[in-house]
Amino acid sequence: KVISLKIELDSLLCESNEIAKHGKSGVVFDSIKEKSKKIKIDISEKKNELESIETIFNDLYLRCPNIPMNGGLGIRMISGG
């Protein structure tokens, strides 16, 4: 879910940048303005959703104990050779 949200967000940001480039050229139609507004709203929603999911993930991640290596006995395995 996080990866797909990040991809969607990157796509929206890219599209927003393209619209901004067109706006700098001085030619701005009402349809472009409306599309730009919709994209900004979508970006905001996706960012909020992503932050929420990442907060939940980080909370769960920090509750997981570290798993010791080598069976948890603190003994290093030495291979003969």
Side-chain angles (χ1 to χ4, degrees), residues 11-56:
S11 176
L12 288 169
L13 289 169
C14 182
E15 195 172 349
S16 177
N17 289 338
E18 288 298 318
I19 289 173
K21 285 180 188 177
H22 288 1
K24 288 181 181 180
S25 69
V27 179
V28 180
F29 298 105
D30 288 338
S31 61
I32 293 175
K33 287 181 184 179
E34 289 301 317
K35 188 172 185 177
S36 177
K37 287 179 186 177
K38 184 184 180 318
I39 289 173
K40 286 180 183 179
I41 291 169
D42 289 346
I43 288 171
S44 178
E45 289 173 354
K46 296 292 180 194
K47 279 184 178 181
N48 289 337
E49 187 177 357
L50 183 61
E51 286 175 8
S52 174
I53 290 172
E54 285 180 335
T55 299
I56 292 168

Side-chain angles (χ1 to χ4, degrees), residues 5 9 25-26 31-32 50-51 58-59 62 70-71 73 76 80:
L5 272 174
L9 187 57
S25 69
S31 61
I32 293 175
L50 183 61
E51 286 175 8
N58 288 333
D59 183 52
L62 292 173
N70 300 327
L73 300 175
R76 279 200 160 149

